[in-house]
Amino acid sequence: MAISIDISRKFPIGIQSFKSLRECNYLYVDKTALIYQLVNSGKPYFLSRPRRFGKSLLISTIEAYFKGQKELFEGLAIEQQEKDWIVYPVLHIDLNAEKFDAPEQLDALLSNQLTQWEAIYGQGEDEATLSLRFKGVIRRAAEQTNRPVVVLIDEYDKPLLQSLHKEALHSAYKDTLKAFYGVLKSADQYLRFYLLTGVTKFSQVSVFSDLNQLNDISMDKRYNEICGLTWQEIADNFEPELKELAEDNDLTPEETLETMTRLYDGYHFMFGQEGIFNPFSVLNVLDRSQFDNYWFKTGTPTFLVELLKKTDYDLRDIDGVQMAVDGFADYRADVQRPIPVIYQSGYLTIKGFDPRFRLYTLGFPNEEVKYGFLNFIVPFYTAIPSTESSFYIGKFVRELESGDVDAFMERLRAFFADIPYELNDKTERHYQAVFYLVFKLMGQFTEAEVRSARGRADAVVKTRDYIYVFEFKLDGTVEEALRQIDDKGYLLPYQSDGRQLIKVGANFSAEERNIENWTSQ
């Protein structure tokens, strides 16, 4: 049976050019009303959003607007708002186009871009440095066109993120970009509008120390929806695809919404605002009519895992960690403070806010990110390859569903095999991380919780027939573990549940770096 494809419904997956999107009739969720508000409300802006969240398309749309390309906006909200369509000189820098692993690569990219502009606007004889050339181009473009200049910088932080664990290279990039971006402040009189986008904001003593006038709209409720999709936008623009997705996966419309929300929603860039769906995953799932971890597969958070390991961060705290308001205002890719960078990268989002103490609570935005991240970091803490972690987790679940505690514990021991030598002095934190990964990943298939707070069991797993309460001791005894379960009343919340209650006590040997023995009752 031939598959019918509606070619009139083209999805802009990977399309970052607004001009191409409109001329080739790709589907477009209209963000132009917000864009009009942004470009006519101020001049210097910065926006942080996770990768694959539509930043490049936003930049391209703003570029088309300032170039006066009215025909591209036919039928969109901005067509009714803008009357003049003035053409401005636009300088667009895209730092996505290079792999940054040597100082000369950043210099070459910036120089190449400047050379293209200088072919149009000329070059001063005494402009020897990149920053002087940049300032000269801005001034001449404004003078020659008699219009102020628009500067758009996409993924400004890519060189810094790629060099995060190479101190000398990172410092060289930081110095170059600090001088280059600092031009925007001194050239302010020649500028109509400028926007820098990226994943993180390296501020204060870093690249933005000279560019401190930027209006950071990353947590501005007025622009919460400028990148990403709301559920209403999805429902309004993709009704045929939502219907097909439901039919193909044997779901009701309500179940489709629930599944989409659970997998791809939940990004909050300011507390109290509507959750935002990951646009890359949404477009892919609707185009293919198949649920999958589309966003997570497009990039691996290796540098974030390295940050966690360098700080010996307690993984059990990552989902529910609290951060002061100031932690968001001063973004630093700092190995001593990994959480702000993990948040900005899209692996954590705002879940709550305490106005009294001005503390945000962060957590995984959705299941795509949560289980993608946890599966990815398994090889960094265990000897189990990420390709096999799902196999192990499935076995774990089946063994507990069948009541086979011994098989479960034997398999758990395999997760501690061949702990790297350099982690030998971090045994306690390391074994806690492994327990956390195992029980959190089991949550994909059954009710599983792993605790870090004192006065609660280390882990609880609920299957159809059983409720397991686990307590682990480091260089203790299984008797002590079982006694703690009884003395602390860990079973009490489940006494009236009706399922069989099983308590499991285990001892972890620091010397052997593995589970030494266990017992269950």
Side-chain angles (χ1 to χ4, degrees), residues 271-326:
F271 181 69
Q273 298 302 302
E274 182 177 2
I276 301 297
F277 282 76
N278 182 320
F280 185 78
S281 290
V282 168
L283 292 177
N284 271 281
V285 74
L286 293 179
D287 183 46
R288 304 183 189 194
S289 199
Q290 180 179 343
F291 296 106
D292 203 348
N293 295 337
Y294 295 105
W295 178 80
F296 198 90
K297 289 180 177 179
T298 63
T300 54
T302 304
F303 81 99
L304 298 179
V305 178
E306 292 298 332
L307 281 178
L308 291 172
K309 293 184 69 176
K310 281 180 179 293
T311 57
D312 194 25
Y313 189 82
D314 191 341
L315 283 180
R316 298 173 301 168
D317 294 336
I318 195 170
D319 192 9
V321 65
Q322 288 192 316
M323 177 184 292
V325 170
D326 292 345

Short mmCIF file of all heavy atoms in Angstrom, two decimals, residues 271-326:
data_model
loop_
_atom_site.label_atom_id
_atom_site.label_comp_id
_atom_site.label_asym_id
_atom_site.label_seq_id
_atom_site.Cartn_x
_atom_site.Cartn_y
_atom_site.Cartn_z
N PHE A 271 9.41 31.80 36.05
CA PHE A 271 8.38 31.13 36.84
C PHE A 271 7.03 31.80 36.64
O PHE A 271 6.92 33.02 36.58
CB PHE A 271 8.74 31.14 38.33
CG PHE A 271 7.72 30.43 39.18
CD1 PHE A 271 7.57 29.07 39.10
CD2 PHE A 271 6.89 31.14 40.02
CE1 PHE A 271 6.63 28.40 39.86
CE2 PHE A 271 5.94 30.49 40.80
CZ PHE A 271 5.81 29.12 40.71
N GLY A 272 6.00 30.97 36.53
CA GLY A 272 4.65 31.47 36.39
C GLY A 272 4.20 31.64 34.95
O GLY A 272 3.03 31.94 34.70
N GLN A 273 5.13 31.46 33.99
CA GLN A 273 4.76 31.59 32.59
C GLN A 273 4.44 30.22 32.00
O GLN A 273 4.81 29.18 32.55
CB GLN A 273 5.91 32.24 31.81
CG GLN A 273 6.23 33.65 32.28
CD GLN A 273 5.05 34.58 32.20
OE1 GLN A 273 4.48 34.78 31.13
NE2 GLN A 273 4.66 35.16 33.32
N GLU A 274 3.75 30.24 30.87
CA GLU A 274 3.34 29.00 30.22
C GLU A 274 4.55 28.16 29.82
O GLU A 274 5.58 28.68 29.40
CB GLU A 274 2.51 29.33 28.98
CG GLU A 274 1.98 28.10 28.25
CD GLU A 274 1.09 28.47 27.08
OE1 GLU A 274 0.92 29.67 26.84
OE2 GLU A 274 0.59 27.54 26.42
N GLY A 275 4.42 26.85 29.97
CA GLY A 275 5.48 25.94 29.55
C GLY A 275 5.65 25.98 28.04
O GLY A 275 4.69 26.15 27.28
N ILE A 276 6.91 25.82 27.60
CA ILE A 276 7.23 25.88 26.17
C ILE A 276 7.66 24.49 25.70
O ILE A 276 8.44 23.81 26.37
CB ILE A 276 8.35 26.90 25.91
CG1 ILE A 276 7.94 28.29 26.38
CG2 ILE A 276 8.73 26.92 24.43
CD1 ILE A 276 6.75 28.86 25.64
N PHE A 277 7.16 24.09 24.54
CA PHE A 277 7.55 22.83 23.92
C PHE A 277 8.84 23.01 23.13
O PHE A 277 9.06 24.06 22.52
CB PHE A 277 6.47 22.34 22.96
CG PHE A 277 5.29 21.69 23.63
CD1 PHE A 277 4.32 22.46 24.26
CD2 PHE A 277 5.12 20.31 23.61
CE1 PHE A 277 3.22 21.88 24.86
CE2 PHE A 277 4.03 19.71 24.21
CZ PHE A 277 3.08 20.50 24.84
N ASN A 278 9.67 21.98 23.14
CA ASN A 278 10.88 21.97 22.32
C ASN A 278 10.47 21.93 20.85
O ASN A 278 9.89 20.94 20.40
CB ASN A 278 11.72 20.74 22.68
CG ASN A 278 13.02 20.66 21.92
OD1 ASN A 278 13.08 20.95 20.74
ND2 ASN A 278 14.06 20.24 22.60
N PRO A 279 10.77 22.96 20.05
CA PRO A 279 10.26 22.99 18.67
C PRO A 279 10.88 21.93 17.77
O PRO A 279 10.20 21.41 16.88
CB PRO A 279 10.65 24.41 18.19
CG PRO A 279 11.81 24.79 19.05
CD PRO A 279 11.56 24.15 20.39
N PHE A 280 12.15 21.60 17.98
CA PHE A 280 12.80 20.61 17.12
C PHE A 280 12.15 19.24 17.29
O PHE A 280 11.85 18.56 16.30
CB PHE A 280 14.29 20.53 17.45
CG PHE A 280 15.06 19.64 16.52
CD1 PHE A 280 15.42 20.07 15.26
CD2 PHE A 280 15.41 18.36 16.91
CE1 PHE A 280 16.12 19.23 14.38
CE2 PHE A 280 16.11 17.52 16.06
CZ PHE A 280 16.47 17.96 14.79
N SER A 281 11.90 18.84 18.52
CA SER A 281 11.26 17.55 18.76
C SER A 281 9.82 17.54 18.25
O SER A 281 9.36 16.56 17.65
CB SER A 281 11.29 17.21 20.25
OG SER A 281 12.60 16.93 20.68
N VAL A 282 9.10 18.64 18.48
CA VAL A 282 7.70 18.71 18.04
C VAL A 282 7.60 18.58 16.53
O VAL A 282 6.78 17.80 16.01
CB VAL A 282 7.06 20.03 18.52
CG1 VAL A 282 5.72 20.25 17.82
CG2 VAL A 282 6.85 20.01 20.02
N LEU A 283 8.43 19.32 15.80
CA LEU A 283 8.37 19.25 14.33
C LEU A 283 8.71 17.85 13.83
O LEU A 283 8.08 17.34 12.89
CB LEU A 283 9.33 20.28 13.73
CG LEU A 283 8.95 21.75 13.92
CD1 LEU A 283 10.03 22.65 13.33
CD2 LEU A 283 7.59 22.06 13.29
N ASN A 284 9.68 17.22 14.46
CA ASN A 284 10.08 15.88 14.03
C ASN A 284 9.00 14.85 14.32
O ASN A 284 8.70 14.00 13.48
CB ASN A 284 11.39 15.48 14.69
CG ASN A 284 12.61 15.90 13.90
OD1 ASN A 284 12.99 15.26 12.93
ND2 ASN A 284 13.21 17.01 14.31
N VAL A 285 8.42 14.90 15.50
CA VAL A 285 7.41 13.88 15.85
C VAL A 285 6.16 14.05 14.99
O VAL A 285 5.53 13.06 14.58
CB VAL A 285 7.08 13.92 17.35
CG1 VAL A 285 6.22 15.11 17.72
CG2 VAL A 285 6.37 12.64 17.78
N LEU A 286 5.79 15.28 14.67
CA LEU A 286 4.61 15.50 13.84
C LEU A 286 4.89 15.17 12.37
O LEU A 286 4.01 14.69 11.66
CB LEU A 286 4.14 16.94 13.97
CG LEU A 286 3.60 17.34 15.35
CD1 LEU A 286 3.20 18.81 15.37
CD2 LEU A 286 2.41 16.46 15.75
N ASP A 287 6.10 15.41 11.93
CA ASP A 287 6.47 15.08 10.55
C ASP A 287 6.52 13.57 10.33
O ASP A 287 6.07 13.06 9.30
CB ASP A 287 7.81 15.71 10.22
CG ASP A 287 8.23 15.47 8.78
OD1 ASP A 287 7.39 15.66 7.88
OD2 ASP A 287 9.39 15.09 8.55
N ARG A 288 7.06 12.84 11.32
CA ARG A 288 7.25 11.40 11.17
C ARG A 288 6.13 10.58 11.79
O ARG A 288 6.06 9.37 11.60
CB ARG A 288 8.58 10.99 11.79
CG ARG A 288 9.77 11.74 11.22
CD ARG A 288 11.06 11.26 11.81
NE ARG A 288 12.18 12.11 11.42
CZ ARG A 288 13.45 11.80 11.56
NH1 ARG A 288 13.79 10.63 12.09
NH2 ARG A 288 14.39 12.64 11.20
N SER A 289 5.30 11.26 12.59
CA SER A 289 4.22 10.59 13.31
C SER A 289 4.75 9.47 14.20
O SER A 289 4.17 8.39 14.31
CB SER A 289 3.19 10.02 12.31
OG SER A 289 1.97 9.75 12.96
N GLN A 290 5.85 9.77 14.86
CA GLN A 290 6.52 8.78 15.71
C GLN A 290 7.22 9.48 16.87
O GLN A 290 7.99 10.42 16.66
CB GLN A 290 7.53 7.99 14.88
CG GLN A 290 8.30 6.93 15.64
CD GLN A 290 9.26 6.18 14.75
OE1 GLN A 290 9.15 6.21 13.53
NE2 GLN A 290 10.21 5.49 15.35
N PHE A 291 6.99 9.00 18.07
CA PHE A 291 7.63 9.58 19.25
C PHE A 291 9.07 9.08 19.35
O PHE A 291 9.35 7.91 19.18
CB PHE A 291 6.87 9.20 20.52
CG PHE A 291 5.47 9.76 20.58
CD1 PHE A 291 4.37 8.93 20.39
CD2 PHE A 291 5.26 11.10 20.83
CE1 PHE A 291 3.08 9.43 20.44
CE2 PHE A 291 3.97 11.62 20.88
CZ PHE A 291 2.88 10.79 20.68
N ASP A 292 9.98 10.01 19.66
CA ASP A 292 11.38 9.64 19.84
C ASP A 292 12.10 10.80 20.53
O ASP A 292 11.54 11.89 20.68
CB ASP A 292 12.04 9.34 18.49
CG ASP A 292 13.27 8.43 18.63
OD1 ASP A 292 13.73 8.23 19.77
OD2 ASP A 292 13.75 7.93 17.60
N ASN A 293 13.36 10.57 20.92
CA ASN A 293 14.16 11.60 21.58
C ASN A 293 14.92 12.41 20.53
O ASN A 293 16.14 12.35 20.44
CB ASN A 293 15.13 10.97 22.59
CG ASN A 293 14.41 10.29 23.73
OD1 ASN A 293 13.27 10.63 24.04
ND2 ASN A 293 15.06 9.35 24.36
N TYR A 294 14.20 13.20 19.77
CA TYR A 294 14.80 13.88 18.62
C TYR A 294 15.81 14.95 19.04
O TYR A 294 16.90 15.04 18.48
CB TYR A 294 13.71 14.51 17.75
CG TYR A 294 12.79 13.49 17.12
CD1 TYR A 294 11.51 13.28 17.61
CD2 TYR A 294 13.21 12.73 16.04
CE1 TYR A 294 10.65 12.35 17.04
CE2 TYR A 294 12.36 11.79 15.45
CZ TYR A 294 11.09 11.60 15.96
OH TYR A 294 10.26 10.67 15.40
N TRP A 295 15.46 15.78 20.01
CA TRP A 295 16.36 16.87 20.42
C TRP A 295 17.63 16.32 21.04
O TRP A 295 18.73 16.76 20.71
CB TRP A 295 15.64 17.78 21.41
CG TRP A 295 16.49 18.91 21.93
CD1 TRP A 295 16.76 20.08 21.28
CD2 TRP A 295 17.16 18.99 23.19
NE1 TRP A 295 17.56 20.89 22.07
CE2 TRP A 295 17.82 20.24 23.25
CE3 TRP A 295 17.27 18.13 24.29
CZ2 TRP A 295 18.57 20.64 24.34
CZ3 TRP A 295 18.01 18.53 25.39
CH2 TRP A 295 18.66 19.77 25.41
N PHE A 296 17.47 15.34 21.91
CA PHE A 296 18.64 14.84 22.62
C PHE A 296 19.63 14.18 21.65
O PHE A 296 20.85 14.26 21.86
CB PHE A 296 18.22 13.83 23.69
CG PHE A 296 19.28 13.61 24.73
CD1 PHE A 296 19.34 14.39 25.86
CD2 PHE A 296 20.26 12.64 24.55
CE1 PHE A 296 20.34 14.22 26.81
CE2 PHE A 296 21.26 12.46 25.48
CZ PHE A 296 21.29 13.24 26.62
N LYS A 297 19.13 13.57 20.60
CA LYS A 297 20.01 12.88 19.66
C LYS A 297 20.85 13.83 18.82
O LYS A 297 21.82 13.40 18.19
CB LYS A 297 19.18 11.98 18.73
CG LYS A 297 18.59 10.75 19.43
CD LYS A 297 17.78 9.93 18.46
CE LYS A 297 17.25 8.66 19.11
NZ LYS A 297 16.43 7.86 18.17
N THR A 298 20.49 15.12 18.79
CA THR A 298 21.23 16.05 17.93
C THR A 298 22.50 16.57 18.58
O THR A 298 23.29 17.27 17.93
CB THR A 298 20.35 17.26 17.57
OG1 THR A 298 20.01 17.99 18.76
CG2 THR A 298 19.10 16.81 16.85
N GLY A 299 22.72 16.26 19.82
CA GLY A 299 23.94 16.73 20.50
C GLY A 299 24.11 16.01 21.81
O GLY A 299 23.14 15.62 22.45
N THR A 300 25.35 15.82 22.22
CA THR A 300 25.62 15.11 23.46
C THR A 300 26.23 16.08 24.48
O THR A 300 27.14 16.84 24.14
CB THR A 300 26.58 13.94 23.23
OG1 THR A 300 27.76 14.41 22.58
CG2 THR A 300 25.92 12.88 22.38
N PRO A 301 25.76 16.06 25.71
CA PRO A 301 26.20 17.02 26.73
C PRO A 301 27.49 16.61 27.43
O PRO A 301 27.59 16.65 28.65
CB PRO A 301 25.02 17.02 27.71
CG PRO A 301 24.50 15.62 27.65
CD PRO A 301 24.68 15.17 26.21
N THR A 302 28.51 16.24 26.65
CA THR A 302 29.75 15.75 27.25
C THR A 302 30.38 16.79 28.16
O THR A 302 30.83 16.47 29.26
CB THR A 302 30.75 15.35 26.14
OG1 THR A 302 30.14 14.39 25.28
CG2 THR A 302 32.01 14.78 26.75
N PHE A 303 30.40 18.05 27.72
CA PHE A 303 31.06 19.07 28.53
C PHE A 303 30.31 19.31 29.84
O PHE A 303 30.91 19.66 30.86
CB PHE A 303 31.22 20.38 27.74
CG PHE A 303 30.00 21.26 27.70
CD1 PHE A 303 29.87 22.34 28.56
CD2 PHE A 303 28.99 21.02 26.80
CE1 PHE A 303 28.76 23.16 28.52
CE2 PHE A 303 27.87 21.83 26.75
CZ PHE A 303 27.76 22.90 27.61
N LEU A 304 28.99 19.07 29.85
CA LEU A 304 28.22 19.22 31.09
C LEU A 304 28.54 18.08 32.06
O LEU A 304 28.65 18.30 33.27
CB LEU A 304 26.72 19.22 30.77
CG LEU A 304 26.23 20.36 29.89
CD1 LEU A 304 24.75 20.23 29.64
CD2 LEU A 304 26.54 21.71 30.52
N VAL A 305 28.69 16.87 31.53
CA VAL A 305 29.06 15.74 32.38
C VAL A 305 30.45 15.96 32.99
O VAL A 305 30.68 15.67 34.16
CB VAL A 305 29.02 14.42 31.59
CG1 VAL A 305 29.45 13.26 32.47
CG2 VAL A 305 27.61 14.17 31.05
N GLU A 306 31.35 16.52 32.19
CA GLU A 306 32.68 16.82 32.71
C GLU A 306 32.61 17.84 33.83
O GLU A 306 33.35 17.76 34.81
CB GLU A 306 33.60 17.32 31.58
CG GLU A 306 33.93 16.27 30.54
CD GLU A 306 34.70 15.10 31.14
OE1 GLU A 306 35.42 15.28 32.14
OE2 GLU A 306 34.59 13.98 30.60
N LEU A 307 31.72 18.82 33.70
CA LEU A 307 31.53 19.79 34.77
C LEU A 307 31.05 19.10 36.05
O LEU A 307 31.55 19.38 37.15
CB LEU A 307 30.51 20.85 34.36
CG LEU A 307 30.97 21.98 33.44
CD1 LEU A 307 29.80 22.89 33.11
CD2 LEU A 307 32.10 22.77 34.06
N LEU A 308 30.10 18.21 35.92
CA LEU A 308 29.58 17.49 37.08
C LEU A 308 30.67 16.66 37.76
O LEU A 308 30.77 16.62 38.99
CB LEU A 308 28.42 16.59 36.66
CG LEU A 308 27.13 17.28 36.23
CD1 LEU A 308 26.14 16.27 35.67
CD2 LEU A 308 26.50 18.03 37.40
N LYS A 309 31.49 16.00 36.96
CA LYS A 309 32.53 15.15 37.52
C LYS A 309 33.65 15.97 38.16
O LYS A 309 34.17 15.59 39.21
CB LYS A 309 33.08 14.22 36.44
CG LYS A 309 32.07 13.19 35.94
CD LYS A 309 32.68 12.23 34.95
CE LYS A 309 33.68 11.32 35.62
NZ LYS A 309 34.21 10.30 34.69
N LYS A 310 34.01 17.08 37.54
CA LYS A 310 35.07 17.91 38.09
C LYS A 310 34.70 18.46 39.47
O LYS A 310 35.54 18.64 40.34
CB LYS A 310 35.40 19.06 37.14
CG LYS A 310 36.28 18.67 35.95
CD LYS A 310 36.54 19.87 35.07
CE LYS A 310 37.43 19.50 33.89
NZ LYS A 310 38.80 19.13 34.31
N THR A 311 33.43 18.76 39.66
CA THR A 311 32.98 19.31 40.94
C THR A 311 32.54 18.22 41.91
O THR A 311 32.15 18.52 43.03
CB THR A 311 31.80 20.27 40.72
OG1 THR A 311 30.74 19.57 40.06
CG2 THR A 311 32.21 21.45 39.88
N ASP A 312 32.61 16.94 41.47
CA ASP A 312 32.11 15.84 42.29
C ASP A 312 30.67 16.12 42.72
O ASP A 312 30.29 15.89 43.87
CB ASP A 312 33.02 15.64 43.52
CG ASP A 312 32.75 14.30 44.21
OD1 ASP A 312 32.26 13.38 43.54
OD2 ASP A 312 33.02 14.20 45.42
N TYR A 313 29.88 16.63 41.78
CA TYR A 313 28.51 17.04 42.09
C TYR A 313 27.65 15.82 42.43
O TYR A 313 27.75 14.78 41.80
CB TYR A 313 27.90 17.78 40.89
CG TYR A 313 26.57 18.42 41.21
CD1 TYR A 313 26.51 19.65 41.84
CD2 TYR A 313 25.38 17.75 40.93
CE1 TYR A 313 25.29 20.22 42.16
CE2 TYR A 313 24.16 18.31 41.24
CZ TYR A 313 24.12 19.56 41.85
OH TYR A 313 22.91 20.12 42.18
N ASP A 314 26.81 15.97 43.44
CA ASP A 314 25.93 14.89 43.86
C ASP A 314 24.74 14.81 42.89
O ASP A 314 23.85 15.67 42.90
CB ASP A 314 25.42 15.15 45.28
CG ASP A 314 24.70 13.93 45.87
OD1 ASP A 314 24.29 13.04 45.10
OD2 ASP A 314 24.57 13.87 47.10
N LEU A 315 24.75 13.79 42.04
CA LEU A 315 23.70 13.65 41.03
C LEU A 315 22.31 13.59 41.63
O LEU A 315 21.33 13.97 40.98
CB LEU A 315 23.95 12.39 40.20
CG LEU A 315 25.04 12.44 39.14
CD1 LEU A 315 25.13 11.11 38.43
CD2 LEU A 315 24.79 13.55 38.14
N ARG A 316 22.21 13.11 42.86
CA ARG A 316 20.89 12.97 43.48
C ARG A 316 20.21 14.32 43.70
O ARG A 316 19.00 14.39 43.89
CB ARG A 316 21.02 12.23 44.81
CG ARG A 316 21.56 10.81 44.67
CD ARG A 316 21.82 10.19 46.04
NE ARG A 316 22.79 10.99 46.80
CZ ARG A 316 23.03 10.82 48.10
NH1 ARG A 316 22.36 9.89 48.77
NH2 ARG A 316 23.92 11.56 48.72
N ASP A 317 21.00 15.39 43.66
CA ASP A 317 20.44 16.73 43.89
C ASP A 317 20.06 17.45 42.61
O ASP A 317 19.46 18.53 42.66
CB ASP A 317 21.45 17.59 44.66
CG ASP A 317 21.70 17.09 46.07
OD1 ASP A 317 20.81 16.41 46.62
OD2 ASP A 317 22.78 17.37 46.62
N ILE A 318 20.41 16.90 41.45
CA ILE A 318 20.27 17.66 40.21
C ILE A 318 18.81 17.92 39.85
O ILE A 318 18.47 18.99 39.32
CB ILE A 318 20.99 16.94 39.04
CG1 ILE A 318 21.16 17.89 37.87
CG2 ILE A 318 20.27 15.66 38.63
CD1 ILE A 318 22.08 17.36 36.78
N ASP A 319 17.92 16.98 40.13
CA ASP A 319 16.50 17.15 39.82
C ASP A 319 15.80 17.64 41.07
O ASP A 319 15.33 16.87 41.89
CB ASP A 319 15.90 15.82 39.34
CG ASP A 319 14.52 16.01 38.74
OD1 ASP A 319 14.10 17.16 38.54
OD2 ASP A 319 13.85 14.99 38.45
N GLY A 320 15.74 18.96 41.23
CA GLY A 320 15.16 19.56 42.43
C GLY A 320 16.12 20.51 43.12
O GLY A 320 15.85 21.00 44.21
N VAL A 321 17.26 20.80 42.47
CA VAL A 321 18.25 21.70 43.04
C VAL A 321 17.68 23.11 43.11
O VAL A 321 16.86 23.52 42.28
CB VAL A 321 19.55 21.68 42.20
CG1 VAL A 321 19.32 22.23 40.82
CG2 VAL A 321 20.66 22.44 42.91
N GLN A 322 18.09 23.87 44.12
CA GLN A 322 17.64 25.25 44.28
C GLN A 322 18.76 26.21 43.93
O GLN A 322 19.94 25.93 44.15
CB GLN A 322 17.15 25.51 45.70
CG GLN A 322 15.82 24.83 46.01
CD GLN A 322 15.21 25.32 47.31
OE1 GLN A 322 15.90 25.47 48.31
NE2 GLN A 322 13.92 25.57 47.28
N MET A 323 18.38 27.36 43.39
CA MET A 323 19.35 28.37 42.99
C MET A 323 18.78 29.75 43.27
O MET A 323 17.60 30.02 43.01
CB MET A 323 19.68 28.24 41.50
CG MET A 323 20.64 29.30 40.99
SD MET A 323 20.89 29.17 39.22
CE MET A 323 21.76 27.61 39.18
N ALA A 324 19.62 30.65 43.78
CA ALA A 324 19.20 32.01 44.04
C ALA A 324 19.00 32.77 42.74
O ALA A 324 19.56 32.42 41.70
CB ALA A 324 20.24 32.72 44.91
N VAL A 325 18.19 33.82 42.80
CA VAL A 325 17.91 34.64 41.62
C VAL A 325 19.21 35.15 41.00
O VAL A 325 19.36 35.19 39.78
CB VAL A 325 16.99 35.82 42.00
CG1 VAL A 325 16.89 36.81 40.84
CG2 VAL A 325 15.62 35.31 42.39
N ASP A 326 20.18 35.52 41.83
CA ASP A 326 21.44 36.05 41.32
C ASP A 326 22.19 35.03 40.48
O ASP A 326 23.02 35.40 39.65
CB ASP A 326 22.33 36.50 42.49
CG ASP A 326 21.77 37.72 43.19
OD1 ASP A 326 20.88 38.37 42.60
OD2 ASP A 326 22.21 38.02 44.31
#
